[in-house]
Each structure stands twice: as C-alpha cells, then as structure tokens.
Amino acid sequence: MATVTTEIAKVIRDIPDFPKPGILFKDITPIFQHPNLLKRLIDELAVHYSSQNIEAVVGMESRGFLFGVPLALALDVPFVLARKKGKLPADTVEYSYDLEYGQATLELHSDSLKPKQNVLIIDDLLATGGTAKATQALVEKLGATVSGFAFVIELDFLNGREHLNAPVHSIVHY
C-alpha cells in the first residue's frame, strides 16, 4: 500500500492562475472524495500527536476546520475555531496581522482555551506562515501553549515554518 503522503500528493489538484495570474493553487478538495484516504490522513496525524499531550486542536478558518474537527475527535480533545473578525458570537480576543495587500484579523472565543493548555494548530496549507503565526499569538493571548502545527501541504520555498515558534509537521511538501 502506498504511503498517505504519496496518495495525498496524487489527488491534490493544481489550478494554474488561481486566485490570480501567476499563482499555482494546490486544491485539497479532492481528498474529500476519497473517504478512506481522508481517514488515513487523520489517523497518521493522530498517531503523530498521540504522545504529545495535546489538550485542544485549533483550526484556522476555513479549511483548518475540515481537518481539525476529525483530528480533535481522534485525539479526544476539544476543537476550537479561529475565525475571521465578526464571525464568532460570544466574547472574543482578536489579533490583526499584515497580508501582502492589506490586513486581516482573526478571533477566538475568549473562553475557548485555558491557561497552560497544550494546543495543536492545524490548517490545510503552510505558505508564508502569517495566518499560523497570528493564530499562535491568539492562543498565547489566552495563556495557552502552542505545542505544534500540523499542515496537509507545506510550500517549502516560502519558508513559512521559519516564522513559527513550535514544531511543524506537514504531510506533503512542495
């Protein structure tokens, strides 16, 4: 049987010039057309993190939710949503950060994490690391500790992991 990494790489679809000319978009949506492959991906991540005392999984909007919820279930820990500003209904903490063209703000519910709680942050893709770094800042604002980052895809040539202050585990590298 081929490795999860090999199988995931086979189904990821390249979309040229999306969302703008010159970008080669890595589309993860075909993974969801292969339930057994998705299960193997989540199982591999769960095995990787099972001995690391993860107490909560934080997923970044929106594709981080797709992988974060099943991983949190596999690890038997709570799942926490990191959302764009204005999307969470209760009291929040927020963190603003710069993008290539403008600024973005992420929020967490202020009661979603406990001080000193060990947290895993997950998303579909690590590029420059800006959103992951902002999510880490939010987690730390609540007094929790980022134990690691998990990504399905890492674009190594953008050096995003260099901006993160916790171990990074990615399944597929480009």
PDB file of all heavy atoms in Angstrom, residues 36-54:
ATOM      1  N   ASN A  36     -11.558   6.950   2.524  1.00  0.00           N
ATOM      2  CA  ASN A  36     -10.535   6.110   3.135  1.00  0.00           C
ATOM      3  C   ASN A  36      -9.201   6.868   3.239  1.00  0.00           C
ATOM      4  O   ASN A  36      -8.481   6.743   4.225  1.00  0.00           O
ATOM      5  CB  ASN A  36     -10.353   4.806   2.358  1.00  0.00           C
ATOM      6  CG  ASN A  36      -9.404   3.871   3.065  1.00  0.00           C
ATOM      7  OD1 ASN A  36      -9.554   3.597   4.256  1.00  0.00           O
ATOM      8  ND2 ASN A  36      -8.410   3.390   2.344  1.00  0.00           N
ATOM      9  N   LEU A  37      -8.888   7.640   2.217  1.00  0.00           N
ATOM     10  CA  LEU A  37      -7.664   8.442   2.243  1.00  0.00           C
ATOM     11  C   LEU A  37      -7.735   9.514   3.321  1.00  0.00           C
ATOM     12  O   LEU A  37      -6.760   9.730   4.061  1.00  0.00           O
ATOM     13  CB  LEU A  37      -7.418   9.067   0.867  1.00  0.00           C
ATOM     14  CG  LEU A  37      -6.160   9.924   0.739  1.00  0.00           C
ATOM     15  CD1 LEU A  37      -4.899   9.134   1.096  1.00  0.00           C
ATOM     16  CD2 LEU A  37      -6.069  10.492  -0.681  1.00  0.00           C
ATOM     17  N   LEU A  38      -8.873  10.179   3.436  1.00  0.00           N
ATOM     18  CA  LEU A  38      -9.051  11.182   4.495  1.00  0.00           C
ATOM     19  C   LEU A  38      -8.889  10.536   5.867  1.00  0.00           C
ATOM     20  O   LEU A  38      -8.209  11.080   6.744  1.00  0.00           O
ATOM     21  CB  LEU A  38     -10.422  11.854   4.377  1.00  0.00           C
ATOM     22  CG  LEU A  38     -10.752  12.870   5.463  1.00  0.00           C
ATOM     23  CD1 LEU A  38      -9.752  14.024   5.482  1.00  0.00           C
ATOM     24  CD2 LEU A  38     -12.179  13.390   5.272  1.00  0.00           C
ATOM     25  N   LYS A  39      -9.470   9.358   6.044  1.00  0.00           N
ATOM     26  CA  LYS A  39      -9.335   8.648   7.321  1.00  0.00           C
ATOM     27  C   LYS A  39      -7.871   8.313   7.600  1.00  0.00           C
ATOM     28  O   LYS A  39      -7.392   8.495   8.721  1.00  0.00           O
ATOM     29  CB  LYS A  39     -10.184   7.380   7.321  1.00  0.00           C
ATOM     30  CG  LYS A  39     -10.114   6.619   8.643  1.00  0.00           C
ATOM     31  CD  LYS A  39     -10.980   5.390   8.618  1.00  0.00           C
ATOM     32  CE  LYS A  39     -10.979   4.612   9.906  1.00  0.00           C
ATOM     33  NZ  LYS A  39      -9.853   4.729  10.784  1.00  0.00           N
ATOM     34  N   ARG A  40      -7.151   7.840   6.586  1.00  0.00           N
ATOM     35  CA  ARG A  40      -5.728   7.522   6.768  1.00  0.00           C
ATOM     36  C   ARG A  40      -4.917   8.769   7.110  1.00  0.00           C
ATOM     37  O   ARG A  40      -3.999   8.717   7.939  1.00  0.00           O
ATOM     38  CB  ARG A  40      -5.183   6.848   5.509  1.00  0.00           C
ATOM     39  CG  ARG A  40      -5.696   5.418   5.344  1.00  0.00           C
ATOM     40  CD  ARG A  40      -5.266   4.751   4.048  1.00  0.00           C
ATOM     41  NE  ARG A  40      -3.822   4.790   3.851  1.00  0.00           N
ATOM     42  CZ  ARG A  40      -3.246   4.921   2.662  1.00  0.00           C
ATOM     43  NH1 ARG A  40      -3.968   5.031   1.561  1.00  0.00           N
ATOM     44  NH2 ARG A  40      -1.928   4.928   2.566  1.00  0.00           N
ATOM     45  N   LEU A  41      -5.245   9.898   6.490  1.00  0.00           N
ATOM     46  CA  LEU A  41      -4.566  11.161   6.790  1.00  0.00           C
ATOM     47  C   LEU A  41      -4.785  11.548   8.252  1.00  0.00           C
ATOM     48  O   LEU A  41      -3.832  11.860   8.980  1.00  0.00           O
ATOM     49  CB  LEU A  41      -5.074  12.263   5.859  1.00  0.00           C
ATOM     50  CG  LEU A  41      -4.672  13.699   6.209  1.00  0.00           C
ATOM     51  CD1 LEU A  41      -3.173  13.892   6.112  1.00  0.00           C
ATOM     52  CD2 LEU A  41      -5.400  14.681   5.304  1.00  0.00           C
ATOM     53  N   ILE A  42      -6.030  11.509   8.692  1.00  0.00           N
ATOM     54  CA  ILE A  42      -6.345  11.861  10.084  1.00  0.00           C
ATOM     55  C   ILE A  42      -5.684  10.865  11.031  1.00  0.00           C
ATOM     56  O   ILE A  42      -5.121  11.254  12.061  1.00  0.00           O
ATOM     57  CB  ILE A  42      -7.877  11.927  10.304  1.00  0.00           C
ATOM     58  CG1 ILE A  42      -8.497  13.036   9.434  1.00  0.00           C
ATOM     59  CG2 ILE A  42      -8.196  12.128  11.781  1.00  0.00           C
ATOM     60  CD1 ILE A  42      -7.917  14.426   9.628  1.00  0.00           C
ATOM     61  N   ASP A  43      -5.723   9.580  10.702  1.00  0.00           N
ATOM     62  CA  ASP A  43      -5.077   8.568  11.546  1.00  0.00           C
ATOM     63  C   ASP A  43      -3.572   8.834  11.671  1.00  0.00           C
ATOM     64  O   ASP A  43      -3.006   8.717  12.761  1.00  0.00           O
ATOM     65  CB  ASP A  43      -5.301   7.162  10.989  1.00  0.00           C
ATOM     66  CG  ASP A  43      -6.730   6.669  11.158  1.00  0.00           C
ATOM     67  OD1 ASP A  43      -7.508   7.302  11.903  1.00  0.00           O
ATOM     68  OD2 ASP A  43      -7.069   5.644  10.512  1.00  0.00           O
ATOM     69  N   GLU A  44      -2.927   9.184  10.549  1.00  0.00           N
ATOM     70  CA  GLU A  44      -1.492   9.463  10.603  1.00  0.00           C
ATOM     71  C   GLU A  44      -1.192  10.663  11.498  1.00  0.00           C
ATOM     72  O   GLU A  44      -0.259  10.634  12.303  1.00  0.00           O
ATOM     73  CB  GLU A  44      -0.934   9.709   9.199  1.00  0.00           C
ATOM     74  CG  GLU A  44       0.570   9.970   9.247  1.00  0.00           C
ATOM     75  CD  GLU A  44       1.239   9.927   7.892  1.00  0.00           C
ATOM     76  OE1 GLU A  44       1.104   8.916   7.195  1.00  0.00           O
ATOM     77  OE2 GLU A  44       1.908  10.913   7.563  1.00  0.00           O
ATOM     78  N   LEU A  45      -1.985  11.706  11.377  1.00  0.00           N
ATOM     79  CA  LEU A  45      -1.793  12.877  12.243  1.00  0.00           C
ATOM     80  C   LEU A  45      -2.055  12.515  13.705  1.00  0.00           C
ATOM     81  O   LEU A  45      -1.312  12.931  14.597  1.00  0.00           O
ATOM     82  CB  LEU A  45      -2.702  14.026  11.805  1.00  0.00           C
ATOM     83  CG  LEU A  45      -2.337  14.697  10.484  1.00  0.00           C
ATOM     84  CD1 LEU A  45      -3.443  15.644  10.035  1.00  0.00           C
ATOM     85  CD2 LEU A  45      -1.006  15.430  10.602  1.00  0.00           C
ATOM     86  N   ALA A  46      -3.097  11.740  13.949  1.00  0.00           N
ATOM     87  CA  ALA A  46      -3.423  11.343  15.326  1.00  0.00           C
ATOM     88  C   ALA A  46      -2.300  10.525  15.942  1.00  0.00           C
ATOM     89  O   ALA A  46      -1.930  10.737  17.104  1.00  0.00           O
ATOM     90  CB  ALA A  46      -4.741  10.569  15.356  1.00  0.00           C
ATOM     91  N   VAL A  47      -1.727   9.603  15.188  1.00  0.00           N
ATOM     92  CA  VAL A  47      -0.597   8.810  15.697  1.00  0.00           C
ATOM     93  C   VAL A  47       0.588   9.725  15.997  1.00  0.00           C
ATOM     94  O   VAL A  47       1.234   9.605  17.038  1.00  0.00           O
ATOM     95  CB  VAL A  47      -0.209   7.694  14.696  1.00  0.00           C
ATOM     96  CG1 VAL A  47       1.142   7.089  15.034  1.00  0.00           C
ATOM     97  CG2 VAL A  47      -1.282   6.614  14.669  1.00  0.00           C
ATOM     98  N   HIS A  48       0.856  10.660  15.089  1.00  0.00           N
ATOM     99  CA  HIS A  48       1.991  11.579  15.274  1.00  0.00           C
ATOM    100  C   HIS A  48       1.849  12.384  16.566  1.00  0.00           C
ATOM    101  O   HIS A  48       2.831  12.615  17.269  1.00  0.00           O
ATOM    102  CB  HIS A  48       2.107  12.518  14.073  1.00  0.00           C
ATOM    103  CG  HIS A  48       3.265  13.452  14.157  1.00  0.00           C
ATOM    104  ND1 HIS A  48       4.544  13.073  13.791  1.00  0.00           N
ATOM    105  CD2 HIS A  48       3.355  14.737  14.593  1.00  0.00           C
ATOM    106  CE1 HIS A  48       5.361  14.097  13.989  1.00  0.00           C
ATOM    107  NE2 HIS A  48       4.665  15.110  14.473  1.00  0.00           N
ATOM    108  N   TYR A  49       0.620  12.811  16.886  1.00  0.00           N
ATOM    109  CA  TYR A  49       0.402  13.688  18.045  1.00  0.00           C
ATOM    110  C   TYR A  49      -0.096  12.967  19.288  1.00  0.00           C
ATOM    111  O   TYR A  49      -0.225  13.589  20.346  1.00  0.00           O
ATOM    112  CB  TYR A  49      -0.556  14.822  17.665  1.00  0.00           C
ATOM    113  CG  TYR A  49       0.093  15.803  16.724  1.00  0.00           C
ATOM    114  CD1 TYR A  49      -0.209  15.810  15.374  1.00  0.00           C
ATOM    115  CD2 TYR A  49       1.063  16.690  17.176  1.00  0.00           C
ATOM    116  CE1 TYR A  49       0.417  16.687  14.504  1.00  0.00           C
ATOM    117  CE2 TYR A  49       1.703  17.571  16.320  1.00  0.00           C
ATOM    118  CZ  TYR A  49       1.369  17.564  14.985  1.00  0.00           C
ATOM    119  OH  TYR A  49       1.999  18.430  14.127  1.00  0.00           O
ATOM    120  N   SER A  50      -0.351  11.673  19.216  1.00  0.00           N
ATOM    121  CA  SER A  50      -0.968  10.951  20.333  1.00  0.00           C
ATOM    122  C   SER A  50      -0.124  10.950  21.606  1.00  0.00           C
ATOM    123  O   SER A  50      -0.668  10.884  22.706  1.00  0.00           O
ATOM    124  CB  SER A  50      -1.312   9.517  19.930  1.00  0.00           C
ATOM    125  OG  SER A  50      -0.128   8.800  19.629  1.00  0.00           O
ATOM    126  N   SER A  51       1.180  11.048  21.494  1.00  0.00           N
ATOM    127  CA  SER A  51       2.033  11.024  22.690  1.00  0.00           C
ATOM    128  C   SER A  51       2.486  12.423  23.115  1.00  0.00           C
ATOM    129  O   SER A  51       3.349  12.551  23.974  1.00  0.00           O
ATOM    130  CB  SER A  51       3.265  10.151  22.419  1.00  0.00           C
ATOM    131  OG  SER A  51       4.054  10.727  21.399  1.00  0.00           O
ATOM    132  N   GLN A  52       1.897  13.464  22.543  1.00  0.00           N
ATOM    133  CA  GLN A  52       2.373  14.818  22.805  1.00  0.00           C
ATOM    134  C   GLN A  52       1.482  15.626  23.742  1.00  0.00           C
ATOM    135  O   GLN A  52       1.606  16.844  23.821  1.00  0.00           O
ATOM    136  CB  GLN A  52       2.584  15.554  21.475  1.00  0.00           C
ATOM    137  CG  GLN A  52       3.669  14.885  20.655  1.00  0.00           C
ATOM    138  CD  GLN A  52       4.028  15.668  19.419  1.00  0.00           C
ATOM    139  OE1 GLN A  52       3.912  16.880  19.379  1.00  0.00           O
ATOM    140  NE2 GLN A  52       4.492  14.970  18.397  1.00  0.00           N
ATOM    141  N   ASN A  53       0.589  14.967  24.448  1.00  0.00           N
ATOM    142  CA  ASN A  53      -0.250  15.617  25.448  1.00  0.00           C
ATOM    143  C   ASN A  53      -1.012  16.824  24.891  1.00  0.00           C
ATOM    144  O   ASN A  53      -1.111  17.859  25.524  1.00  0.00           O
ATOM    145  CB  ASN A  53       0.583  16.028  26.679  1.00  0.00           C
ATOM    146  CG  ASN A  53      -0.285  16.405  27.855  1.00  0.00           C
ATOM    147  OD1 ASN A  53      -1.372  15.861  28.038  1.00  0.00           O
ATOM    148  ND2 ASN A  53       0.173  17.363  28.647  1.00  0.00           N
ATOM    149  N   ILE A  54      -1.561  16.689  23.685  1.00  0.00           N
ATOM    150  CA  ILE A  54      -2.381  17.742  23.086  1.00  0.00           C
ATOM    151  C   ILE A  54      -3.705  17.790  23.851  1.00  0.00           C
ATOM    152  O   ILE A  54      -4.355  16.764  24.052  1.00  0.00           O
ATOM    153  CB  ILE A  54      -2.626  17.468  21.588  1.00  0.00           C
ATOM    154  CG1 ILE A  54      -1.303  17.391  20.828  1.00  0.00           C
ATOM    155  CG2 ILE A  54      -3.577  18.502  20.985  1.00  0.00           C
ATOM    156  CD1 ILE A  54      -0.462  18.637  20.845  1.00  0.00           C
TER     157      ILE A  54
END
